[in-house]
């Protein structure tokens, strides 16, 4: 089909209803883009995006279905069905998929800030309570800044610096 | 110390002592731990399960002195059903742990204030139970037990998530803090919904007497935290001790005062009717005993009923449970025979006042 305005190939097909009458227009891309009110020709872009999103989402699903822990053999789909993980490595293997679930279950938290096994880190060196305090202070700092309590924020910043200095000693 | 010694005594959670014991029955803290290098239980073969059970059992028994006094271990795979049920009734193991299959066990000690479930949902579920509101004491004790076990077992722990658990809802601290409350007045005044709403706002779970999936029989409610990540253990405990529990205790006190001052007759009717039923009934289910005991307990707490000791009510509560009753009778009884035996036992203890 040829363009209503020129001899180029018509690729844009518009149907307008005006006063109960159906008006069809067939235009090439160039003519269409010049036509007033049909800036919406670009309207086919969202459809493209929609398709891309669909394909991406689809491939995401595919990834989730094939995602498997080499250590214990559990797949992401199996975890979703049973609700229980198969081994400690799953937290790494599924980290991307698990993180949003974990956040939802724990009021948005993403990091452990509590007790740390004494035996972790350097053998025989108690690391207990070291990291957590800084994490906690950082959280408080963020809240203080949000509440525009800058005096408190400054104090917290100093405390964090102090704690960090202690840690590297 | 053996399993059979337990039947004749009241467990820690029913001692009926401790701060706020007129409303707070018990405080419980549990920690979920897994051993690094082994699959979580849902992906274990039978053999792997057994390996884990042996490893954990040996670690517990070799360090018994550091964990708590009078520690003993019950192999649940070999234990008869009635013994497993008995442990559930005493809050020493969970229902799923009692009914599961394969190698599993529980270490019990410290006059039943400590229990360590082996191969429940996680390799270890350490639990400390105290009567009344004693969360800080429970934390101090469980933290020390965790330290003792950690010195011999390599727990699965990895930043950023902390202690790694089979279910991601327990990850981080692996801590579950729960307080068992007796809230008969809020139930009677219909205000218990207030507690549910407050709990929901604070991201807490409300459960029945025997935990997950159980009814709030006898007006007992277990309130527990759901968030285990992003907070320090002490913070979770302080939230409970300073915010959540005082608020609910206030509600219950208020409801009790309202009943006492404005509906005295109705309150007395409940209390004495309950006493009448337990003193006269010929067939009793354990749920009915729990419900009537709840009203009697409230009557005693509010000074409407004299001459009945809390200790007796706690004994009745525990001994009228199916496994305890059958252990006491030393035989298996079911149906009406069991209900009749229960009613007889309750009458014999309450009628002799």
């Amino acid at each position: 089909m040829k363009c209503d305005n020129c001899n180029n190939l018509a690729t844009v097909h518009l149907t307008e209803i005006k006063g109960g009458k159906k008006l069809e227009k067939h235009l090439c891309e160039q003519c269409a883009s010049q036509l007033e009110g049909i800036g919406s020709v670009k309207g086919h872009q969202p459809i493209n995006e929609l398709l891309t999103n669909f394909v991406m989402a689809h491939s995401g699903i595919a990834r989730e279905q094939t995602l498997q822990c080499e250590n214990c053999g559990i797949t992401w789909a199996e975890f979703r069905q049973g609700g229980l993980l198969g081994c400690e490595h799953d937290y790494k293997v599924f980290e991307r998929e698990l993180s949003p679930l974990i956040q939802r279950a724990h009021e948005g938290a993403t990091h452990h800030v509590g007790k740390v096994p004494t035996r972790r880190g350097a053998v025989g060196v108690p690391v207990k309570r070291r990291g957590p305090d800084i994490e906690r202070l950082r959280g408080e700092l963020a809240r203080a800044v949000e509440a525009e309590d800058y005096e408190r924020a400054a104090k917290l910043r100093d405390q964090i610096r102090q704690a960090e200095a202690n840690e590297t000693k | 110390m053996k399993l059979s010694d337990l039947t004749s005594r009241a467990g820690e959670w029913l001692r009926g002592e401790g701060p706020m014991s007129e409303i707070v029955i018990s405080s419980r803290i549990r920690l979920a731990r897994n051993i690094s290098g082994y699959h979580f239980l849902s992906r274990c073969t039978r053999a792997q399960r057994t390996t884990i059970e042996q490893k954990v059992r040996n670690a517990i028994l070799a360090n018994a002195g550091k964990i708590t006094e009078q520690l003993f271990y019950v192999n649940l795979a070999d234990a008869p059903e009635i013994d497993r049920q008995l442990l559930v009734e005493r809050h020493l193991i969970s229902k799923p742990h009692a009914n599961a299959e394969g190698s599993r066990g529980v270490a019990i000690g410290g006059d039943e204030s400590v229990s360590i479930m082996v191969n429940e949902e996680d390799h270890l579920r350490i639990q400390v139970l105290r009567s009344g509101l004693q969360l800080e004491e429970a934390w101090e004790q469980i933290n020390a037990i965790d330290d003792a076990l950690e010195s011999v077992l390599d727990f699965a722990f990895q930043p950023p998530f902390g202690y790694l658990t089979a279910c991601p809802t327990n990850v981080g601290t692996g801590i579950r803090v729960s307080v068992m409350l007796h809230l008969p007045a809020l139930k009677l005044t219909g205000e218990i919904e207030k507690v549910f709403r407050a709990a929901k706002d604070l991201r807490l779970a409300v459960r029945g007497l025997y935990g997950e999936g159980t009814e709030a029989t006898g007006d007992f409610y277990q309130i527990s935290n759901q968030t285990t990540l992003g907070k320090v253990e002490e913070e979770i405990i302080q939230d409970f001790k300073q915010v959540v529990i005082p608020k609910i205790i206030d509600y219950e006190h208020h409801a009790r005062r309202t009943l006492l001052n404005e509906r005295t007759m109705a309150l007395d009717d409940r209390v004495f009717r309950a006493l009448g039923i337990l003193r006269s009934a010929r067939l009793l289910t354990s749920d009915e005993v729990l419900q009537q005991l709840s009203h009697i307990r409230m009557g005693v707490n509010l000074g409407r009923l004299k001459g009945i000791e809390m200790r007796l009510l706690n004994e009745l509560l525990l001994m009228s449970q199916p496994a305890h009753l059958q252990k006491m009778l030393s035989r298996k009884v079911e149906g009406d025979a069991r209900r009749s035996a229960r009613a007889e036992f309750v009458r014999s203890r309450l009628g002799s006042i």
Side-chain angles (χ1 to χ4, degrees), chain A residues 102-103 105-113, chain B residues 160-162 168-174 226-232 236:
Chain A
I102 288 175
Q103 278 186 41
H106 301 281
E107 299 174 64
T110 53
H111 285 69
H112 174 60
V113 293
Chain B
F161 295 128
T169 55
N170 296 319
V171 80
T173 53
Q226 288 182 295
T227 303
T228 56
L229 185 72
K231 283 185 187 176
V232 178
I236 296 172

Side-chain angles (χ1 to χ4, degrees), chain B residues 279-333:
Chain B
R279 275 179 167 164
S280 321
R282 286 329 197 230
L283 293 174
L284 283 172
T285 63
S286 47
D287 275 6
E288 190 176 3
V289 174
L290 280 174
Q291 191 50 63
Q292 305 307 343
L293 281 177
S294 167
H295 293 153
I296 295 174
R297 178 184 291 266
M298 178 173 60
V300 172
N301 275 331
L302 289 177
R304 306 305 297 174
L305 191 58
K306 309 255 194 257
I308 292 187
E309 278 188 50
M310 209 46 92
R311 213 178 47 192
L312 172 64
L313 297 180
N314 288 337
E315 182 203 327
L316 288 175
L317 194 158
L318 189 63
M319 299 310 279
S320 62
Q321 299 288 308
H324 277 81
L325 188 71
Q326 294 179 79
K327 274 273 176 186
M328 188 172 55
L329 297 167
S330 314
R331 64 190 154 93
K332 192 174 164 70
V333 274

Side-chain angles (χ1 to χ4, degrees), chain B residues 250-282:
Chain B
D250 269 359
Y251 284 159
E252 174 66 18
H253 271 149
H254 185 259
R256 286 184 186 189
R257 270 199 304 275
T258 306
L259 285 177
L260 199 56
N261 298 332
E262 293 164 29
R263 296 163 64 186
T264 325
M265 203 84 96
L267 170 70
D268 281 353
D269 181 64
R270 283 281 179 173
V271 174
F272 287 92
R273 188 180 288 270
L275 190 60
I277 290 174
L278 293 190
R279 275 179 167 164
S280 321
R282 286 329 197 230

Side-chain angles (χ1 to χ4, degrees), chain B residues 202 237-249:
Chain B
L202 293 159
I237 289 159
Q238 286 308 320
D239 273 359
F240 252 75
K241 207 195 151 198
Q242 288 170 3
V243 186
V244 184
I245 300 306
K247 199 170 169 182
I248 300 175
I249 288 175

